[in-house]
Amino acid sequence: MARSPLMAALASLLALAGAGSALAARSASSHSGGGCKSARSSDFSGGKCPGGRFHRGPGAAKHVLFYRPHHGHCRDATLAPNRHDLARVRAATLCLINRERTRHGERPLYWNLHLLSAAQAHTESMAFGAYFAHVGPRGLTPLMRLRRTGYIANSREGYEIAENIGWGSLWLGTPKAIVATWMGSAGHRANILDRHFRDTGIGVSPHTNGLAHGQRGGIYTEDFGVIVG
């Protein structure tokens, strides 16, 4: 990787949701050489609303692929996203995420249909809107999106949520490259390894043309959550 041209920009967006909210942003970028491959990622950490014990949120996802690491390796980890293989790319991404959680003594995450719907919708919004941010053009935040899908069903439920987003062109848009980038950033890593989370949803789009100057790659959103009842 040291010989490959790479431009990366990492941003952390921190928010506390519930009765009120606080917002802060940090960004950093690095550049090694010129060249044509690029990648970016950003994390949102922690809409929180206090509650009691943890349990899995509503709408546990069915009819989606779920890969487990085999001898430490995840199937399809280097698969380039296209419109025919998004289920495999999602499964590979979650496999890599769960491999990291297991290595650090945390339980695996499982698919949730509400989180999956929110993550895919936001990914497509970024892909076809040619923007890269947690807040959409109409002002929808991660918390608002998860309320709309029904993951947070009512104001009496406690919850904790977070979101990682990232995109990369060419090989930097594979599940392996995206998860490696997230794990190399403190904010993304903290979301991935948060011991409270139980549920996840991953959105993927191969339409990076608006962000990568015509190159193909992958745009990813991963939503994390737990409902506290």
Side-chain angles (χ1 to χ4, degrees), residues 73-103:
H73 299 283
C74 287
R75 177 182 174 184
D76 293 332
T78 59
L79 188 64
N82 66 58
R83 63 189 183 92
H84 301 294
D85 65 12
L86 297 186
R88 293 167 61 194
V89 172
R90 290 191 196 98
T93 305
L94 180 54
C95 179
L96 292 166
I97 293 293
N98 281 338
R99 185 180 69 177
E100 295 295 341
R101 287 178 64 88
T102 300
R103 285 175 174 175

Side-chain angles (χ1 to χ4, degrees), residues 124-143:
E124 292 178 4
S125 176
M126 291 191 293
F128 294 102
Y131 73 94
F132 183 70
H134 294 283
V135 180
R138 297 184 178 180
L140 286 179
T141 66
L143 178 59

Side-chain angles (χ1 to χ4, degrees), residues 57-73:
K62 299 179 180 179
H63 310 300
V64 291
L65 296 178
F66 187 85
Y67 294 168
R68 298 182 186 275
H70 183 66
H71 298 303
H73 299 283

Side-chain angles (χ1 to χ4, degrees), residues 48 54 101 106 160 193-198 225-226:
K48 296 182 180 180
F54 295 116
R101 287 178 64 88
E106 304 300 341
E160 183 173 346
L193 300 181
D194 191 311
R195 66 183 181 87
H196 294 144
F197 293 135
R198 302 289 186 269
V226 63

Side-chain angles (χ1 to χ4, degrees), residues 53-62 66 94 98 101 107-115 151 157-158 196-200 225-229:
R53 64 182 180 83
F54 295 116
H55 64 84
R56 189 174 319 286
K62 299 179 180 179
F66 187 85
L94 180 54
N98 281 338
R101 287 178 64 88
R107 69 185 70 191
L109 301 174
Y110 290 93
W111 292 119
N112 180 280
L113 285 176
H114 298 298
L115 296 182
Y151 181 72
E157 285 187 332
H196 294 144
F197 293 135
R198 302 289 186 269
D199 311 317
T200 195
V226 63
I227 298 300
V228 185

